[in-house]
Amino acid sequence: IGVVGVWAYRAVPIDAYPDVTTILDRFIPSAEAKLGQVKLTTAKFYRIAGGTTQHKGVTPDLIFPGDPGDSETGESAERNALPWDQIQPTGFSRWNVVAQFLPQLRTRSQQRTAKNPEFRLMEEEIERYQRERAKTTVSLQESRRLRERETQEDEDLSMINRRRALRGLPPLKKGERVPTIENAPDPQLEESAHIVMDLLLLSQPQYHGKVVEQ
């Protein structure tokens, strides 16, 4: 089975949050102070091959453009995150009809996404995010901070209007509320459908000439 998408880092363990006051009541009865909670990990997820999902997450066979490969927003970014480890794998039969077609699937997908302006916008957004995250200083000068905020708001509006233009929608003015667009196109979902179609045509030659991509 093939996996498409972006890196999955949000593979969290199973946690419990017992109340500290309740625990201490066993030893210090009638404690009135609220002492908060403590986070305890009670279980971890393991894949069928034996490896946990900690830190490494799940690596897609086909990675979409614009994926930052960012592990700083998931559980692995926590200071005391549990390390990756492995247990005895479960016996299972491998069924993989995808591996032999992966090079062709990647090539076709890359050719499509290179021409898709929605993916270009996604990549630009990731680049902006990475530039902001790379900053290590913040100005204490109010006028400079206000200019930076205005510049960021202008860039946000420009990105919104470029995306609206792709969808045939009129541009918004500064200060206008950004409306929710129902049934907005999902470029990643659409590309996933194209990949499934590619796999069908590559693995089942009898469908050539009988299937038309929409």
Side-chain angles (χ1 to χ4, degrees):
I1 297 176
V3 178
V4 300
V6 297
W7 291 79
Y9 283 101
R10 298 183 180 275
V12 297
I14 301 173
D15 298 322
Y17 297 85
D19 189 284
V20 175
T21 306
T22 303
I23 297 174
L24 291 182
D25 271 345
R26 302 176 184 176
F27 309 100
I28 310 175
S30 303
E32 296 182 359
K34 296 297 182 181
L35 303 177
Q37 296 177 318
V38 60
K39 180 179 178 180
L40 301 177
T41 297
T42 58
K44 289 170 63 176
F45 290 102
Y46 289 88
R47 303 177 68 185
I48 192 172
T52 183
T53 51
Q54 303 299 121
H55 286 284
K56 295 185 178 183
V58 178
T59 305
D61 296 307
L62 284 81
I63 301 175
F64 286 143
D67 172 30
D70 186 4
S71 62
E72 296 193 9
T73 58
E75 184 268 342
S76 60
E78 298 292 335
R79 182 165 48 185
N80 297 310
L82 296 173
W84 183 91
D85 64 338
Q86 193 169 17
I87 61 174
Q88 184 70 28
T90 299
F92 65 96
S93 299
R94 292 185 180 275
W95 184 74
N96 193 344
V97 298
V98 178
Q100 60 181 316
F101 303 115
L102 280 177
Q104 293 167 280
L105 293 173
R106 288 194 184 101
T107 298
R108 294 187 181 193
S109 179
Q110 290 167 358
Q111 290 173 344
R112 278 191 301 268
T113 56
K115 301 175 184 177
N116 189 327
E118 291 274 6
F119 278 103
R120 300 287 71 74
L121 289 178
M122 291 170 57
E123 290 180 333
E124 288 185 36
E125 288 175 329
I126 293 297
E127 290 173 1
R128 283 186 59 200
Y129 161 73
Q130 292 176 334
R131 284 198 304 269
E132 290 297 318
R133 197 183 69 183
K135 293 181 179 179
T136 57
T137 59
V138 176
S139 174
L140 298 179
Q141 187 177 16
E142 182 182 20
S143 59
R144 181 175 177 179
R145 292 288 296 277
L146 290 173
R147 287 196 304 271
E148 290 175 347
R149 184 173 70 179
E150 186 173 0
T151 298
Q152 185 173 16
E153 290 175 351
D154 289 342
E155 290 177 350
D156 290 341
L157 181 60
S158 174
M159 190 68 68
I160 290 170
N161 281 334
R162 288 171 63 189
R163 184 166 278 120
R164 288 175 63 84
L166 290 176
R167 298 167 183 173
L169 299 173
L172 299 177
K173 296 180 180 179
K174 193 168 185 176
E176 280 191 88
R177 184 181 64 85
V178 180
T180 301
I181 303 175
E182 295 184 2
N183 301 319
D186 184 334
Q188 293 184 336
L189 181 61
E190 291 178 358
E191 178 56 26
S192 298
H194 284 300
I195 292 171
V196 172
M197 185 65 66
D198 286 341
L199 178 60
L200 173 65
L201 296 176
L202 289 169
S203 60
Q204 305 293 332
Q206 66 270 26
Y207 288 111
H208 279 284
K210 299 180 181 179
V211 177
V212 179
E213 293 192 52
Q214 300 296 323

